[in-house]
């Protein structure tokens, strides 16, 4: 089969393979010298990270926020373990591997109890000095660690509250409070400033437990603050001071850089090799037929109309049916239902794919496999709870099927559009989706959290589109996109 510049493609593929191998070597090296244990206390799964030869070491519980997981906090935990702390990473109720449903409406102390269970487990480890324990939490987890520190009978040296909401604090409690927020976090930064005032303002005596400070991390938002080397360094300096250990001199390089290198390497490898197996004549014929039949006309107009109507329909459905937590999981079903509505309308407006063909059955899973290799496998080793626990697996096919109409319509609209033209249409659809979903998230019960992660949506759409561009089979492309988004929604949001 004729392919342009085959020698250049092979050289590019070999270079990409070197990048992937290098990234994996660096990721493995980042975890070298840190022992990992999987344990459980009171039904709370806890991952323990222990420095090599740890003995009478200080300990830190690191709690994630809403829609987070122990794995999301892993890079922060590795930074603390490298600094000499034994780290406990719990999966809070409803999240990750934790089978207990989230029930904060009837049990507002649920997360606080989970943190205390992880703290008790940490203090029982023979490598840990139970007199030098601290807590760190992000977002909703920040409130959980503040509350846990004020209620526990165990001695706590310090609390680090990252991207906090509103909590009850005093000038004396919790002890040695470091507040932290990204410069681009808006309400969370304001909440941190308010908490600092309620806690007595900056200053205080670490020996007396009254030290207070606010660290603003430049150039990051609610998710980026978790992976900033400056965030990690600020928490290590604070906790090392109150734990009476010398903070290490870190290299300031986040392991997330190696994950990004791996992702780019996999995408480049795929884009270099995929054309060897794609029928170029079929691509040209399908593109011509799509233009003649009007399947790809006015993609942005059709996307906008379908998005607006889907938002109005979802708002109307929400007035009749209580959508918050429908199906036993938060946020994911509402978002998938919005995509199902938008996709159905988009297809009805004339963006209709060609009939599926047998090769689609192979190309769809192959492209999904590329996405999993690039995004998920190394992500699972660093920061992403990518592999669904068994009790979450039933959601995957349901969410994928709901998303499929929109994904197929999107892939059809992009058929034949390559280069800057395809990039412009893809970006336009992503922006339209952000706005229309954002309106629904602001109005429909239970969808508000989507407003925080909506900026990530263009990235989540761009990855499948980059993978699908060499193939351009709307059904296969749509399956890969739908399964990728469905997989993400399956593992991300809490069960109730």
């Amino acid at each position: 089969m004729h392919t342009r510049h085959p020698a250049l493609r092979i050289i590019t593929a070999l270079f990409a393979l070197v990048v992937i191998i290098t990234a994996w070597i660096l990721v493995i090296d980042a975890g070298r010298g840190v022992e990992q244990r999987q344990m459980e206390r009171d039904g709370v799964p806890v991952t323990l990270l222990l420095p090599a030869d740890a003995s009478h070491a200080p300990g830190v519980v690191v709690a994630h926020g809403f829609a987070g997981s122990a794995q999301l906090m892993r890079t922060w935990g590795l930074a603390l373990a490298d600094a000499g702390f034994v780290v406990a990473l719990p999966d809070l109720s409803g999240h990750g591997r934790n089978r207990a449903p989230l029930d904060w409406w009837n049990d507002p102390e649920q997360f606080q109890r989970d943190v205390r269970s992880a703290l008790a487990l940490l203090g029982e480890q023979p490598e840990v000095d139970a007199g030098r324990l601290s807590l760190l939490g992000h977002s909703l987890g920040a409130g959980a660690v503040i509350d846990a520190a004020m209620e526990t009978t165990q001695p706590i040296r310090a609390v680090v509250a990252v991207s906090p909401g509103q909590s009850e604090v005093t000038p004396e409690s919790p002890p040695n409070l470091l507040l932290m927020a990204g410069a681009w976090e808006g309400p969370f930064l304001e909440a941190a400033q308010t908490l600092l005032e309620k806690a007595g303002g900056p200053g205080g005596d670490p020996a007396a437990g009254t030290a207070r400070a606010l660290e603003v991390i430049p150039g990051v938002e609610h998710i980026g603050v978790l992976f900033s080397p400056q965030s990690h360094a600020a928490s290590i300096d604070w906790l090392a001071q109150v734990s009476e250990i010398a903070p290490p001199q870190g290299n300031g390089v986040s392991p997330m850089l190696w994950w990004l290198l791996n992702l780019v390497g996999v995408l480049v490898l795929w884009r270099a090799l995929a054309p060897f197996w794609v029928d170029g004549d079929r691509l040209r014929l399908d593109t011509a037929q799509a233009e003649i039949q009007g399947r790809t006309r006015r993609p942005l107009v059709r996307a906008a109309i379908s998005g607006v109507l889907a938002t109005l329909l979802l708002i109307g459905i929400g007035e009749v049916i209580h959508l918050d937590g429908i199906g036993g999981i938060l946020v994911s079903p509402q978002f998938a239902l919005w995509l199902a509505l938008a996709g159905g309308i988009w297809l009805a407006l004339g963006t209709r794919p060609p009939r599926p063909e047998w090769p689609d059955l192979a190309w769809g899973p192959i492209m999904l496999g590329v996405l999993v290799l690039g995004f998920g496998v190394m992500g699972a080793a660093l920061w992403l709870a990518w592999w669904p626990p068994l009790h979450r697996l039933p959601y995957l096919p349901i969410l994928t099927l709901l998303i499929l109409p929109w994904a197929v319509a999107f892939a059809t609209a992009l058929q034949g559009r390559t280069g800057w033209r395809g990039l412009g249409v893809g970006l336009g659809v992503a922006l339209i989706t952000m706005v229309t979903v954002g309106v629904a998230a602001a109005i429909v019960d239970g969808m508000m959290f989507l407003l925080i992660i909506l900026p990530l949506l263009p990235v989540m759409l761009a990855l499948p589109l980059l993978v699908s561009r060499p193939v351009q089979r709307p059904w296969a492309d749509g399956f890969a996109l739908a399964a990728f988004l469905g997989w993400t929604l399956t593992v991300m949001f809490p069960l109730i």
Side-chain angles (χ1 to χ4, degrees):
M1 186 178 300
H2 176 70
T3 302
R4 294 181 62 187
H5 312 301
L8 180 59
R9 290 188 176 278
I10 291 174
I11 293 171
T12 302
L14 290 173
F15 176 75
L17 193 59
V18 170
V19 170
I20 294 168
I21 293 171
T22 302
W24 271 104
I25 291 173
L26 291 169
V27 165
I28 293 171
D29 185 66
R32 198 181 307 277
V34 176
E35 178 189 350
Q36 178 172 305
R37 297 176 189 165
Q38 298 294 344
M39 306 186 75
E40 185 172 306
R41 176 68 177 261
D42 303 325
V44 179
V46 179
T47 300
L48 289 177
L49 303 178
L50 299 95
D53 302 322
S55 178
H56 300 291
V60 187
V61 174
V62 178
H64 62 79
F66 182 85
S69 65
Q71 198 68 8
L72 184 64
M73 308 302 291
R74 180 176 172 80
T75 55
W76 206 318
L78 285 174
L80 289 165
D82 286 339
F85 294 89
V86 176
V87 182
L89 304 169
D91 275 323
L92 303 180
S93 293
H95 294 77
R97 300 161 295 160
N98 197 317
R99 289 180 170 271
L102 177 61
D103 189 24
W104 58 16
W105 303 271
N106 301 312
D107 187 4
E109 296 183 355
Q110 190 175 30
F111 280 2
Q112 177 192 145
R113 260 196 331 275
D114 292 343
V115 169
R116 292 206 303 267
S117 293
L119 184 66
L121 178 65
L122 179 63
E124 292 169 355
Q125 303 309 305
E127 299 87 353
V128 174
D129 180 354
R132 292 189 293 166
L133 301 177
S134 298
L135 301 173
L136 184 151
H138 173 246
S139 192
L140 189 145
V145 298
I146 289 174
D147 293 342
M150 298 179 74
E151 296 293 334
T152 185
T153 57
Q154 289 181 269
I156 299 297
R157 288 290 183 97
V159 170
V160 180
V162 185
S163 310
Q166 295 301 322
S167 294
E168 294 301 321
V169 298
T170 71
E172 294 79 29
S173 187
N176 294 325
L177 175 63
L178 173 63
L179 297 155
M180 190 183 302
W184 297 348
E185 289 203 75
F188 296 97
L189 177 55
E190 293 176 6
Q193 292 167 337
T194 300
L195 284 177
L196 182 63
E197 293 177 7
K198 291 169 63 176
D205 180 10
T210 58
R212 271 91 176 92
L214 170 62
E215 188 81 23
V216 180
I217 308 301
V220 296
E221 32 55 61
H222 196 64
I223 305 301
V225 71
L226 294 175
F227 306 109
S228 167
Q230 187 170 335
S231 301
H232 302 167
S235 67
I236 289 170
D237 288 344
W238 186 265
L239 296 173
Q241 180 184 11
V242 299
S243 301
E244 302 170 358
I245 65 172
Q249 297 298 318
N251 58 18
V253 178
S254 171
M256 292 295 290
L257 177 61
W258 317 138
W259 172 81
L260 183 61
L261 281 177
N262 172 76
L263 175 59
V264 172
V266 170
L267 291 176
V268 171
L269 179 65
W270 168 253
R271 294 296 295 265
L273 296 181
F276 285 107
W277 301 294
V278 173
D279 186 344
D281 293 334
R282 195 272 310 165
L283 277 180
R284 287 186 286 273
L285 179 61
D286 283 355
T287 299
Q289 289 179 341
E291 292 177 352
I292 293 171
Q293 297 172 10
R295 296 201 304 258
T296 60
R297 291 177 188 165
R298 299 182 292 277
L300 297 183
V301 174
R302 290 174 175 178
I305 292 173
S306 62
V308 170
L309 292 179
T311 295
L312 294 174
L313 283 172
L314 191 64
I315 293 171
I317 294 171
E319 293 296 320
V320 179
I321 302 173
H322 185 66
L323 293 175
D324 190 9
I326 189 171
I329 186 171
L330 295 177
V331 183
S332 295
Q334 295 102 305
F335 186 30
L337 179 58
W338 184 94
L339 290 170
L341 295 169
I345 295 168
W346 200 348
L347 293 173
L349 291 173
T351 306
R352 296 178 183 173
R355 288 184 300 178
E357 299 176 336
W358 287 112
D360 292 326
L361 294 176
W363 278 112
I366 288 172
M367 288 187 286
L368 177 61
V370 172
L371 289 167
V372 170
L373 285 173
F375 186 85
V377 175
M378 184 178 286
L382 277 179
W383 67 279
L384 189 63
W386 181 250
W387 306 116
L390 289 177
H391 65 284
R392 286 180 174 265
L393 274 179
Y395 291 100
L396 178 56
I398 297 171
L399 293 172
T400 299
L401 286 174
L402 285 171
I403 298 169
L404 187 61
W406 186 88
V408 170
F410 191 11
T412 303
L414 288 170
Q415 194 173 14
R417 291 184 166 90
T418 57
W420 291 106
R421 187 183 176 204
L423 177 64
V425 172
L427 180 61
V429 171
L431 292 175
I432 289 168
T433 304
M434 283 178 61
V435 172
T436 48
V437 170
V439 173
I443 297 174
V444 178
D445 286 343
M447 290 186 67
M448 183 65 72
F449 185 80
L450 274 178
L451 294 175
I452 298 175
I453 64 171
L454 270 183
L456 299 177
L457 184 61
V459 177
M460 299 301 294
L461 295 180
L463 294 177
L465 293 177
L466 287 171
V467 171
S468 68
R469 286 301 76 204
V471 179
Q472 293 197 42
R473 287 181 169 273
W475 283 102
D477 299 349
F479 168 79
L481 173 56
F484 181 65
L485 291 178
W487 196 321
T488 304
L489 293 177
T490 295
V491 299
M492 178 181 291
F493 291 103
L495 304 180
I496 61 171

